[in-house]
Amino acid sequence: MVFDPTHYIATGQQFQLQAKTWDDLNMFLHKTGFKLVIGLNVMLRDGTRWNPSNAKLLLKYSSDKGYPFAGIELGNEPNLFCQHWNTTVSDVQLGRDYKELKQVVQRNPYKSSLILGPDIAGYKDKFINNFLSNGGVSVLDVLTIHHYYFNGQTAKLEDFSKSSIMDKLISELHTVAGIVRNHHGLVAWLGETSSGYGGGTPGIGDRYVAGNLWLDKLGASAKYGLKGVLRQGFFGGHYSLLDSNSDPNPDYWLTLLYRRLVGNKVFDIPSSSDNIRLYAHCTKLNNVYNYEPGSITVYALNLNTAPVILTISDLHGRSADAFWLTPEGGDLKSQKVRLNGKTLELVNNQIPQMTPRHLGNRQMTVPGNTFGFIVIPDANIAACQSQGHGTIIG
């Protein structure tokens, strides 16, 4: 794609991004409060090198309009160029292209925007290391990889509830965490992620059961130190947060609760079974529920069909609030989700009240094939009295 504010650029096979479309997008972002990470076209080249002229045109136009960018990246899934475009940009050359990008950004008002990359599909050790050692490490603020569990077009319902599939992500996160530790100042994000690549799984990827993979991915990413998780996608495909009528799909409500409840400090919480997935954080400060600093939020997935009793030894006997999400009608492929038994849906295009169930100090029972959040308001955890910048979930 090339930016064409005048309609006079001879683009050949390239798609054109016209000024009005760009203006409309930025107006939408302004109204919603979304932050934008832009991906510049790395396929515009002079021989083997990236040609930044069109990128400069876009940055100049955007700067003159006052459009903010949270981040800037160059290209998308470069390790798949040969498969999709019958061309290649090597890991070594991409590192050099990123050095050119840094110089371009430093000469305009976006020099404070994060530089992200290389945005490769899956973790590829050789590609990452060659990219970093040939300029990437001197340029990047954020190391980004894409992650999908499987081919969305061939996935089955049971794939969305298998701990063995969830565990495949763990090894990648562990490796990424090691890369970040070896490069001071670098952080890592999942720069694009969902359940299945190829547009998602029809009739499943945007239904209740897909929340298993999404919530576990959020928990595992935080546990292994990633600082951002960017969800594919907001609208469109079979894995979006909104349906074709712009009404929320189940993962929308799950994401909203996560954003409201989960803070940025992470605790290690053991589980007695691979089918009981547990994660714990400080509760988000200044939350809409007025939970005090020192509170802790546990989120849990029960992949078993039978309910289980959840016991957290250090917090035994303390009162708790539950935000439990279940599928309407008990159907894992339901496009409607219930919070503590009440179906969630917009009320006059507004978010409804999403109130917890007060458990008191009773035992916490996790229903089969469900997931949700448990807040212990009076946990009085010293580490949760103050928190810094947290994980970006987008």
Side-chain angles (χ1 to χ4, degrees), residues 18 40-41 58 65 88 106-107 112 125 141 175 206 313 331 372:
Q18 297 178 1
L40 299 175
N41 190 348
L58 175 61
K65 290 279 190 173
T88 60
Q106 287 296 312
R107 291 192 290 266
S112 61
D125 190 69
D141 299 299
T175 305
D206 55 2
S313 57
D331 180 5

Side-chain angles (χ1 to χ4, degrees), residues 340-356:
N340 297 327
K342 183 177 180 180
T343 299
L344 291 172
E345 49 194 355
L346 298 178
V347 178
N348 298 321
N349 285 325
Q350 300 295 314
I351 301 296
Q353 292 291 321
M354 300 175 68
T355 55

Side-chain angles (χ1 to χ4, degrees), residues 114-370:
L114 297 173
I115 294 183
L116 300 83
D119 236 28
I120 63 171
Y123 182 83
K124 303 294 183 288
D125 190 69
K126 181 180 178 182
F127 193 107
I128 291 289
N129 286 323
N130 286 343
F131 167 76
L132 291 175
S133 61
N134 284 276
V137 73
S138 64
V139 172
L140 285 189
D141 299 299
V142 181
L143 178 74
T144 54
I145 64 170
H146 294 183
H147 178 269
Y148 294 87
Y149 291 99
F150 39 61
N151 184 340
Q153 299 303 305
T154 59
K156 307 299 182 185
L157 177 64
E158 57 267 25
D159 295 333
F160 288 76
S161 301
K162 286 183 178 178
S163 61
S164 59
I165 288 179
M166 297 177 185
D167 288 341
K168 292 179 179 179
L169 172 62
I170 303 300
S171 61
E172 287 195 22
L173 294 178
H174 188 269
T175 305
V176 170
I179 290 288
V180 169
R181 282 195 301 269
N182 291 333
H183 295 88
H184 180 71
L186 188 64
V187 300
W189 293 5
L190 293 182
E192 176 190 314
T193 192
S194 193
S195 53
Y197 62 83
T201 306
I204 302 176
D206 55 2
R207 307 304 167 93
Y208 173 84
V209 70
N212 286 328
L213 297 178
W214 180 224
L215 187 57
D216 193 71
K217 180 172 289 186
L218 291 175
S221 297
K223 182 177 180 178
Y224 283 91
L226 271 68
K227 300 301 182 184
V229 179
L230 305 188
R231 169 64 184 255
Q232 171 86 306
F234 186 64
F235 185 86
H238 300 287
Y239 42 30
S240 60
L241 298 182
L242 301 182
D243 67 16
S244 58
N245 296 316
S246 297
D247 289 323
N249 281 323
D251 276 2
Y252 177 93
W253 301 111
L254 173 57
T255 305
L256 179 58
L257 278 174
Y258 187 99
R259 290 292 300 268
R260 287 183 171 186
L261 294 171
V262 177
N264 59 22
K265 289 187 178 178
V266 186
F267 299 96
D268 189 23
I269 181 169
S271 173
S272 59
S273 168
D274 288 342
N275 283 338
I276 309 297
R277 320 284 286 196
L278 297 174
Y279 300 95
H281 294 237
C282 295
T283 302
K284 183 178 181 178
L285 296 180
N286 303 315
N287 58 82
V288 299
Y289 299 101
N290 296 316
Y291 292 123
E292 295 291 334
S295 304
I296 191 170
T297 294
V298 176
Y299 45 110
L301 300 89
N302 181 7
L303 304 178
N304 299 304
T305 57
V308 299
I309 296 174
L310 181 61
T311 301
I312 304 173
S313 57
D314 291 344
L315 300 172
H316 183 68
R318 295 184 181 272
S319 63
D321 287 351
F323 297 79
W324 216 255
L325 295 167
T326 56
E328 189 173 71
D331 180 5
L332 293 178
K333 294 196 290 183
S334 174
Q335 210 162 359
K336 294 291 186 180
V337 62
R338 291 179 172 178
L339 174 62
N340 297 327
K342 183 177 180 180
T343 299
L344 291 172
E345 49 194 355
L346 298 178
V347 178
N348 298 321
N349 285 325
Q350 300 295 314
I351 301 296
Q353 292 291 321
M354 300 175 68
T355 55
R357 174 180 296 159
H358 301 293
L359 300 178
N361 58 6
R362 302 193 305 273
Q363 67 182 21
M364 294 176 277
T365 301
V366 182
N369 290 323
T370 64

Side-chain angles (χ1 to χ4, degrees), residues 42-81:
V42 75
M43 302 293 283
L44 300 175
R45 309 191 72 77
D46 286 332
T48 61
R49 299 178 58 185
W50 175 54
N51 181 341
S53 58
N54 193 254
K56 292 177 181 178
L57 184 65
L58 175 61
L59 295 174
K60 175 66 165 58
Y61 180 91
S62 301
S63 174
D64 290 345
K65 290 279 190 173
Y67 298 151
F69 299 152
I72 300 172
E73 57 191 12
L74 185 58
N76 178 67
E77 298 186 343
N79 55 321
L80 298 184
F81 283 175

